[in-house]
Amino acid sequence: MTETACAFGVKDAEELARTLLHPLTERWQHTAAVAVRAEQLAGTVDAADREILVAAAWLHDIGYATATHDSGFHPLDGARYLRKRGVSERLCSLVAHHSGARFVAEARGLTSELAEFPLEVSALSDALTYADQTVGPHGRPYSVEQRMAEVLDRHGPESPQAKAYSTRAPYLLSVAERVRRRFAQYSQR
Ligand SMILES: [Fe+2]
């Protein structure tokens, strides 16, 4: 892959993610596995978007790193951190909105803050979300259903994740269906 498709290339993204997340062993293992998953799904997006998909996969959870903490909502904090570093708006927005973050933002009262970043609805955003939703803690492969259950279990019944479940779960399942269909079409070529 070349590094000309986005302002912040895959190697830059991997390096930044490693620096920020390596101390968080479980999150780092998850991130590295999501990046591998994104590479596997690259055929489901336009050729021009394949590099930004993998870069976004490396960066999607950097908002968990202490150095990026701001609002306490990791998609927003990661995107704000990247924006301050001059990373492309598209990449920032993919991080901000990955995995249906808008549904959790609403439950946390952070809708207007997240709206600092435009929402992209595309095969690219779907592939990023599907990659994240099929990798669990420590980088273990999960089904989307297992991952949704794991998130609920980890955050608890009173969490914003639980409050957002009724709107976020159907969205994640619809993403999974679209990505699986694109992957099947791509594999038949
Ligand atoms: Fe993640």
Side-chain angles (χ1 to χ4, degrees), residues 87-104:
V87 171
S88 74
E89 282 295 291
R90 192 178 186 206
L91 188 44
C92 293
S93 293
L94 287 166
V95 169
H97 289 283
H98 79 269
S99 293
R102 64 189 182 280
F103 302 107
V104 183

Side-chain angles (χ1 to χ4, degrees), residues 15 28 43 51 60 82 86 149:
E15 202 172 300
W28 169 246
E51 178 156 345
H60 78 282
L82 292 171

Side-chain angles (χ1 to χ4, degrees), residues 7-126:
F8 205 70
V10 169
K11 285 287 168 214
D12 300 315
E14 179 179 351
E15 202 172 300
L16 180 59
R18 186 185 301 276
T19 300
L20 291 169
L21 293 176
H22 198 260
L24 310 176
T25 305
E26 180 180 322
R27 187 59 52 185
W28 169 246
Q29 291 168 335
H30 164 80
T31 294
V34 172
V36 170
R37 204 73 190 92
E39 285 175 1
Q40 293 167 347
L41 295 169
T44 67
V45 305
D46 288 344
D49 287 343
R50 288 174 187 166
E51 178 156 345
I52 195 169
L53 168 62
V54 181
W58 279 114
L59 295 169
H60 78 282
D61 273 350
I62 62 164
Y64 281 114
T66 311
T68 68
H69 280 184
D70 182 8
S71 70
F73 183 44
H74 84 273
L76 178 61
D77 291 352
R80 284 176 167 170
Y81 181 87
L82 292 171
R83 178 180 267 169
K84 278 189 208 140
R85 294 176 67 98
V87 171
S88 74
E89 282 295 291
R90 192 178 186 206
L91 188 44
C92 293
S93 293
L94 287 166
V95 169
H97 289 283
H98 79 269
S99 293
R102 64 189 182 280
F103 302 107
V104 183
E106 187 176 2
R108 296 182 66 131
L110 288 170
T111 295
S112 59
E113 286 84 351
L114 196 65
E116 293 167 17
F117 299 91
L119 172 68
E120 173 170 336
V121 179
S122 66
L124 171 58
S125 63
D126 280 354

